[in-house]
Structure formats: structure tokens, C-alpha cells
Amino acid sequence: MIRKVGVIGCGLMGGGIAQTCAQSGYETIVREVNQEFLDRGMARIHSAWEMMTNKGKLTQGQLEENRSRLHGTLNLEDFADCDIVIEAVLENMEEKLRIFPALDRIVKPGALLLSNTSSLSVTQMGAVTKRPDKVCGLHFFNPAPVMKLVEIVRTISTSDETISTVREFALSLGKTPVLAKDTAGFIVNFLLIPYLIAAIRMLENGMATKEDIDTAMKLGCGYPMGPFTLLDYVGLDTTLWAAEAIYEEYKDPLYAPPPLLRRMVTSGMYGKKSGKGFYDYTKSL
Ligand code: CAA
């Protein structure tokens, strides 16, 4: 039975995942690398709950319960009694390969270790633990509390029992799970990344303005956001890492990151979270 959930990372995704778990009734602990990042992540979750309370989506009592279920920490040792741990740190394999063996040592036997990676190999993460049968991907979409989909990513070592527990867990969070094999990009990014890259190439080639491309895809296809608004929303850095990971696996030019994307990331233009991407958000920060 899942009672306590641990989340590693309280950034955009980790924070959204921790919020989702706590508001779904789970005792939740979230870890960041320093107090400043933790405070910022926790503040974002608390203000989302306040916004939901103001909109009448949470009662004052539910707000208090959510708050009491969510705990922040800087210490991985506090994850020892978690039943499920979801890793949501930066998309950097070296970092993930440090975290998984550490969690494996700390977290009780029988607990499941999941990764929110969007395109890195979950098999590799499982392979550095002594419980690869209890390791799989659980990929959320931004904003995690709102988006209904999760991808459950199965490696060749993941057991049927793990998949079935994670499926039940995803349903208990109000999500619709789909099952994907551990291949770069899984389902969504395998299709989404070439679309976003094609939009950047159109802009590089001067085929249309970013505003017109966004309007075209919103109104012409009924997408909630055009590709440049979505790129800024997801994060240009995250998009670049995902494109690189899929390109690395298949060497298909469809996934080769366009020069403009690389230069924007090099310049710190990560999108909404840094204040500047294809659009300027500095006034709304
Ligand atoms: N917690 C709780 N509720 C939240 C929330 C949060 N953190 N953030 C937003 N909401 C709620 C809002 O309160 C609002 O609720 P009501 O409709 O009841 O008022 C609702 O979500 C919609 O939000 P907004 O009204 O602010 O804005 P919107 O209607 O324009 O929708 C959006 C925003 C849901 C983000 C929508 O534009 C959308 O679906 N965009 C596409 C997002 C997308 O494609 N995400 C996937 C990206 S790919 C990815 O993440 C994977 C990867 O690996 C790269």
C-alpha cells in the first residue's frame, strides 16, 4: 500500500508532482539541493493551493490538510520510509546515476523508484540499483497538477507487479496512464519534439513570424498553445535536452536541435522560467 511519496527536486516538474501527490492524499516529502530552491518551490505550491482555494476548488479545510501533508527537506535520508520515490531533477544522466544508487541504499526494500525523465534511459537508472525490477519511468506533463496524462515507462527489467502498482498509483492521482517502452522520447516527446523543432526551423528560415505560427496552430489545429508559447512554457533547455537524447539514440535529423534553440539556451533564454525565451515575460515575473 502506498502511503508516503518522496519527490526529488522541487522545480517546475518536481514541485508540480509533489503538489499533485499531496493534494491526492499522500504524505509527501520533497527534496531540493539548497534552502533557496526549496523555499521557492514550496512557495509556488502553496500559492497554487491558495489560487485553488480562492477559485472554490479547495475548501479551507482541504487547504490546511494539503499543507500538513507536504514536507520539504534537504536530506535524502528522510526518504527512508517512502513507499514510492519520484526523481524529478534536471535531465542530466550523471546526476540521475548519482541519485538512484543513493536512493537504493536509503529507501526501504520493496519501495519503488521512479523517474520523471522525459527522454533519458530509465534502464540505465535501474541498472545502478539492486532493485531494477522496482524501477520504471512515471513521466508527467507540465503543468503536472493539471495535465491528465502520465507515461509509465517500462524497462526490460521492470516487473509486472511494479507496473500494476504504478498504474493504480497514477489513477489515484487522477491521471490517465499510458504504457511506453523505454525508448528515447517515449510516446509524447517522440511526436512532439519534431513538431517544435520544425517550428523553430520555420522561424530560422523566415517563413513566418513566431506570432503567426502560434496563431496558426492554435486556431488551425485547436491546440491550446502555439509551438513558441509551448516551447517557452516547457522550457527551451528541457526541449534541447529531450531533442539531444532522442537524436543520440536514433541519429534521425528530425530530432537534431536547430542552431537557434542551442544559441538561446546558451544565452540563458530558457523561456518563461528565466523571463525570456521566444517571448518576453520579464514584466510578469
Ligand atoms: N495547480 C492547480 N491548478 C492549476 C495550476 C496548478 N499549478 N496551474 C493551472 N491550474 C488551473 C487553473 O487554475 C485553471 O483552472 P480553471 O480552468 O478551473 O480556472 C486551469 O488550470 C487552466 O489554467 P489557466 O486558466 O491559467 O490557463 P489556460 O486555460 O490557458 O490553460 C494550460 C493553461 C493548461 C497550460 C493550457 O494552455 C495547456 O494545456 N497548454 C498545453 C500544455 C502542454 O502541452 N503541456 C505538455 C508539454 S510537454 C511536457 O511537459 C513533457 C516534456 O517532457 C517536455
Side-chain angles (χ1 to χ4, degrees):
M1 173 159 158
I2 310 299
R3 196 189 55 83
K4 183 169 175 184
V5 180
V7 181
I8 316 277
C10 199
L12 213 53
M13 291 310 293
I17 295 168
Q19 176 188 333
T20 306
C21 295
Q23 71 193 32
S24 302
Y26 292 103
E27 195 67 30
T28 304
I29 182 158
V30 59
R31 178 260 200 178
E32 255 305 346
V33 288
N34 64 43
Q35 196 62 46
E36 186 196 339
F37 288 0
L38 184 61
D39 290 345
R40 201 185 306 157
M42 293 290 268
R44 207 169 25 224
I45 299 173
H46 287 292
S47 69
W49 282 335
E50 272 150 34
M51 176 267 291
M52 289 167 77
T53 310
N54 292 339
K55 284 185 172 181
K57 289 184 183 176
L58 287 179
T59 63
Q60 195 60 37
Q62 287 168 325
L63 172 69
E64 297 307 327
E65 278 169 26
N66 287 352
R67 282 178 176 153
S68 70
R69 277 194 290 262
L70 180 68
H71 312 279
T73 183
L74 301 179
N75 193 353
L76 223 46
E77 309 289 330
D78 293 340
F79 285 61
D81 60 343
C82 286
D83 302 293
I84 280 190
V85 178
I86 307 167
E87 168 280 312
V89 302
L90 287 182
E91 286 288 70
N92 175 314
M93 192 50 120
E94 273 175 32
E95 184 60 18
K96 302 204 191 237
L97 295 185
R98 265 195 295 273
I99 286 172
F100 271 79
L103 283 174
D104 192 31
R105 277 193 302 276
I106 292 166
V107 183
K108 66 184 178 189
L112 306 184
L113 306 182
L114 315 183
S115 174
N116 176 57
T117 184
S118 58
S119 39
L120 296 176
S121 162
V122 183
T123 309
Q124 242 181 300
M125 298 174 212
V128 292
T129 72
K130 294 196 174 68
R131 57 179 105 185
D133 57 315
K134 296 190 170 55
V135 175
C136 72
L138 185 63
H139 182 213
F140 291 76
F141 294 82
N142 187 19
V146 178
M147 302 303 281
K148 288 289 173 212
L149 185 75
V150 287
E151 290 175 319
I152 299 178
V153 181
R154 177 170 205 158
T155 76
I156 45 174
S157 308
T158 313
S159 70
D160 289 343
E161 194 187 342
T162 298
I163 294 296
S164 131
T165 307
V166 173
R167 195 192 292 276
E168 285 305 312
F169 174 63
L171 291 170
S172 76
L173 300 179
K175 303 298 183 194
T176 300
V178 291
L179 189 60
K181 283 192 186 164
D182 185 28
T183 52
F186 315 134
I187 299 173
V188 171
N189 279 339
F190 193 78
L191 294 170
L192 179 64
I193 295 293
Y195 159 68
L196 296 176
I197 285 178
I200 299 172
R201 291 206 182 107
M202 282 182 80
L203 186 67
E204 282 178 326
N205 293 336
M207 290 160 78
T209 64
K210 57 182 185 290
E211 290 83 2
D212 278 358
I213 297 172
D214 269 357
T215 302
M217 293 313 290
K218 258 182 88 166
L219 303 186
C221 291
Y223 290 180
M225 292 173 164
F228 293 104
T229 313
L230 185 58
L231 276 155
D232 280 355
Y233 193 75
V234 167
L236 272 59
D237 49 347
T238 306
T239 308
L240 177 61
W241 292 325
E244 279 174 336
I246 308 174
Y247 183 70
E248 180 62 29
E249 183 145 309
Y250 298 104
K251 300 289 185 289
D252 181 336
L254 260 183
Y255 298 91
L260 178 60
L261 176 63
R262 215 178 267 292
R263 278 164 184 62
M264 289 177 77
V265 172
T266 306
S267 311
M269 295 163 76
Y270 300 144
K272 208 170 169 194
K273 63 185 164 189
S274 71
K276 215 165 179 333
F278 287 99
Y279 297 102
D280 191 338
Y281 304 89
T282 43
K283 291 191 182 63
S284 57
L285 278 180

